Amino acid sequence: MKGTRALIVEDDRIAARSLKTMLESFGCIVVSTTSEGAQAIQLAQEHKPDIALVDIWLKGDLDGIDTARQMQSIHPMPIIYLTAYADDETLARAIVTEPQGYLVKPVDPRDLHIAIDMALYRHRVKRAREQLVNELHEALSTVRHLSGLLRVCSHCNRVQASDGSWQTLESTIRAHPEANFAVGLCADCAQELCVARPQEDAHV
């Protein structure tokens, strides 16, 4: 957790100061504190924090849930919601934004410490999983590309079909316009060239 860059979005000044003190005691770096959703979005874009503590009930046009949603669209990061109370409808809206934590105010330092540790861990796991999925998609794309390669004989220009037979290049292109081609030698041409070469060498 030490060195974690945190953004506090809290419209209660006393609560904001308390959160800042707790975070700094954990070794976190508080990049900024704001009480307005619109400013929080700008700060998220500017500082790209590792985590954000967001009060659900913010004054102004944007509440904490709308603010968190827009912040994450700019810079994906774990969100921990803070609130003194919340009805079922509000909680349902909050869940859609996939928060990594939820704390009821007044926040206990130990609960905050545990929530941040868990949020950072879950976020790392999520990003690692997304990276793995992307790598698997790229690998699958490569496999599909390789499996789509058709062997072309560089001597007679025939193409090897899936059953092992050799067909004319023109008919293969008509049947498989999307295919990629790898140049080689068909068995007949390989044998012909191997037979012809000793004869040529004999005349030298």
Side-chain angles (χ1 to χ4, degrees), residues 93-115:
R93 288 181 56 227
I95 290 173
V96 174
T97 62
E98 299 182 357
Q100 295 293 344
Y102 182 89
L103 293 173
V104 177
K105 296 189 292 185
V107 177
D108 179 80
R110 177 175 172 78
D111 291 341
L112 179 60
H113 193 288
I114 294 173

Side-chain angles (χ1 to χ4, degrees), residues 2-18:
K2 187 175 182 181
T4 297
R5 303 169 71 255
L7 172 63
I8 298 174
V9 187
E10 169 62 70
D11 62 1
D12 185 317
R13 292 184 179 181
I14 296 177
R17 283 198 299 269
S18 177

Side-chain angles (χ1 to χ4, degrees), residues 44-105:
Q45 183 172 18
E46 177 182 350
H47 295 288
K48 294 181 171 52
D50 301 315
I51 193 168
L53 308 182
V54 182
D55 186 1
I56 287 182
W57 301 108
L58 294 176
K59 298 175 182 177
D61 296 332
L62 297 175
D63 65 7
I65 299 173
D66 292 329
T67 298
R69 182 183 295 109
Q70 294 191 41
M71 287 168 60
Q72 288 181 314
S73 68
I74 294 172
H75 173 63
M77 61 184 149
I79 300 291
I80 295 179
Y81 283 125
L82 311 169
T83 187
Y85 65 94
D87 53 43
D88 291 341
E89 182 180 352
T90 301
L91 288 176
R93 288 181 56 227
I95 290 173
V96 174
T97 62
E98 299 182 357
Q100 295 293 344
Y102 182 89
L103 293 173
V104 177
K105 296 189 292 185

